[in-house]
Amino acid sequence: MNDTFFSKRFDGIQVLRAVAAIIVLINHVAFVGNGGFGVDIFFCISGFIMMYVTEKSTKNFISKRIIRIFPLYYAITLVTFIGCYVFPGLFAGDGYGPVGLIKSLLFVPGEIGGIAKPIVRVGWTLNYEMFFYLILWCSMHISHKYRGVIAGVVMTVIVIIGKLFNNLPVPVEFWTDSILIEFIFGIVAFWFVRWLTISEWYRKCGNKNITRAACVVVALASFIFMWFVKYNEGLSDIERCIIYGIPAFIIFVGIFIATYECKLPGIAVFLGDISYSIYLIHYSVVRLTNKLTCPDGIVNAKAIIGAIGALVITLLMSVISYYLIEKKLVAVLSKFIRRQ
C-alpha cells in the first residue's frame, strides 16, 4: 500500500468536480442544451472516491454516505415539492403527489410519462449513486480486498440482465441502465493511478512537466469530443457508457496525473468543494432565468445576461448551502456517528 497516496487531498479531482457541475448547469441553459456529460465525469469520480475512502477503513460507510447526501438533497426536494403547489409551473416537480415525494426521498425512481424522474430533476443521478453505494457496501462485506471486482461484476450482470429483458418496470429499467458501467470506470481508474504513482516509471520520470502537459492535452481532446459528439443524436444505438463514459475515464485519469502532487488555485478547489450544492441548486435557478430571459430558446443579449445571472445566483446560493448545510450540519451528524 502506498501510504503517501492515501494521505493526499487531490486538488485536481476537486477542480474536475467544479467543471463537471458547471457544465451540467450550462447544459440546462435554454440556448445551450449541451454539457450533460458532466454527469458521466461525476460517476467516474464517484467510483474512484468510494474505492479510495474505503481502502483503509469501511467503518460507518453507509452512515457517512447518508449524512453526506441526504441533508441537502432532502432540503432541496422538500422546497421543490412545496414550491410546485405554491408557484405552479415555476418548479420542475409538477405532477408529484405524496407518493412521489416519498419515492424521491427514498431514491426510488418515480415515473412521469413513462420516464423515471425524481421531484428534483437532477436528482436522478443520486438514485444511481445510492444504488452504487449499496452494491459496494454489500461487496465489502463479502471481501474488502476484492470489493471493486465484486461490485464491478455485480453491476455488469445487472446491466446485462437489463439488456436481455424487454418491457421491464420503469424503476427496474432505470437501475439496469448501462450508465452503471461508468462507476466501474472509476474503480478501474483507482487501481490504475494507485499503481502508477508507485511504479518505477513514475518515480524515475525525469521531466514530469512533459507528462502532465501531454495528459492535459489528451483530457482536453476527450472533453472536446464529448462536447461535439452526442450519444442521443444519431448514435442512440451506442451505449452512453461508451460514447461518454470512456472519454470521462480518460479525462479523469489525465487530469489526475497532470495535477498529482500539485497545489491548484484555492478558488478552483473551493468550487469543487461546493459542487454538490451547485449541482442540486442550479436547476430551479436556471429554469427560472430561462423563463424570464430566454423563453423561446433563442440566444441574444438578454438570454446571455440571464445565463450569467443564473450562474452567479447559483454560486452565491451554493456558498451559503455549503457552509450552513454541507459543512455545519454534516459536521454535527458526523460527531453523532462517531459517538456510536
Side-chain angles (χ1 to χ4, degrees):
M1 182 181 294
N2 182 358
D3 289 330
T4 302
F5 179 80
F6 289 98
S7 63
K8 291 184 178 296
R9 170 185 167 93
F10 305 120
D11 284 0
I13 293 179
Q14 291 303 97
V15 174
L16 192 56
R17 274 176 164 162
V19 171
I22 291 173
I23 61 174
V24 170
L25 182 153
I26 293 172
N27 175 62
H28 291 125
V29 172
F31 62 84
V32 178
N34 195 7
F37 56 84
V39 166
D40 306 85
I41 296 174
F42 271 130
F43 284 170
C44 190
I45 292 173
S46 182
F48 172 90
I49 292 296
M50 291 307 103
M51 288 294 292
Y52 179 84
V53 299
T54 58
E55 180 67 22
K56 288 192 172 183
S57 174
T58 60
K59 185 178 180 181
N60 298 322
F61 172 74
I62 288 295
S63 299
K64 289 176 181 177
R65 301 325 302 160
I66 286 175
I67 65 172
R68 179 69 184 91
I69 299 296
F70 279 37
L72 181 59
Y73 177 68
Y74 273 30
I76 300 295
T77 297
L78 292 172
V79 168
T80 302
F81 181 74
I82 294 171
C84 289
Y85 291 95
V86 178
F87 304 105
L90 179 60
F91 288 84
D94 297 13
Y96 279 87
V99 174
L101 173 63
I102 293 172
K103 285 184 176 180
S104 290
L105 296 176
L106 294 177
F107 299 95
V108 176
E111 180 183 348
I112 286 186
I115 301 175
K117 294 180 180 178
I119 290 177
V120 178
R121 288 291 187 261
V122 294
W124 65 271
T125 61
L126 295 181
N127 291 343
Y128 284 118
E129 287 280 353
M130 296 305 295
F131 191 41
F132 168 55
Y133 297 159
L134 178 61
I135 292 171
L136 185 61
W137 179 78
C138 292
S139 301
M140 289 187 295
H141 282 72
I142 297 173
S143 170
H144 175 264
K145 181 178 180 180
Y146 297 106
R147 66 195 184 286
V149 174
I150 296 170
V153 170
V154 169
M155 286 187 285
T156 301
V157 170
I158 288 173
V159 170
I160 291 174
I161 291 173
K163 296 300 177 185
L164 291 177
F165 296 94
N166 297 319
N167 302 317
L168 294 170
V170 170
V172 177
E173 184 177 351
F174 177 88
W175 277 318
T176 57
D177 192 278
S178 64
I179 203 170
L180 280 175
I181 301 298
E182 294 177 359
F183 292 108
I184 301 177
F185 291 159
I187 292 172
V188 173
F190 168 79
W191 289 331
F192 176 71
V193 298
R194 182 183 61 175
W195 164 81
L196 182 66
T197 57
I198 62 174
S199 68
E200 191 77 8
W201 173 84
Y202 183 82
R203 287 189 292 109
K204 291 185 176 181
C205 182
N207 193 340
K208 289 188 172 65
N209 288 333
I210 295 178
T211 302
R212 292 190 176 109
C215 287
V216 170
V217 170
V218 172
L220 183 59
S222 298
F223 184 92
I224 293 172
F225 170 85
M226 294 171 82
W227 184 266
F228 288 103
V229 177
K230 300 179 181 180
Y231 83 97
N232 56 350
E233 292 184 9
L235 296 170
S236 56
D237 57 330
I238 302 178
E239 298 295 332
R240 176 171 180 158
C241 66
I242 296 175
I243 297 298
Y244 280 175
I246 293 176
F249 168 82
I250 294 172
I251 289 171
F252 176 85
V253 172
I255 295 301
F256 185 96
I257 296 173
T259 60
Y260 184 64
E261 297 182 314
C262 293
K263 185 173 178 60
L264 301 182
I267 183 63
V269 175
F270 179 70
L271 287 175
D273 293 342
I274 66 173
S275 59
Y276 182 48
S277 286
I278 293 173
Y279 182 76
L280 285 182
I281 289 172
H282 85 269
Y283 189 76
S284 293
V285 176
V286 174
R287 180 181 169 90
L288 175 59
T289 56
N290 283 342
K291 284 178 175 289
L292 295 176
T293 65
C294 192
D296 52 8
I298 298 175
V299 58
N300 52 41
K302 184 179 180 181
I304 293 173
I305 292 173
I308 295 173
L311 175 60
V312 172
I313 293 170
T314 297
L315 291 178
L316 291 175
M317 293 178 66
S318 297
V319 171
I320 295 172
S321 165
Y322 173 72
Y323 282 110
L324 292 184
I325 299 178
E326 288 195 69
K327 204 166 185 181
K328 187 168 289 187
L329 181 56
V330 168
V332 171
L333 294 174
S334 296
K335 288 181 181 178
F336 175 77
I337 287 179
R338 286 196 291 269
R339 294 196 193 104
Q340 303 308 307

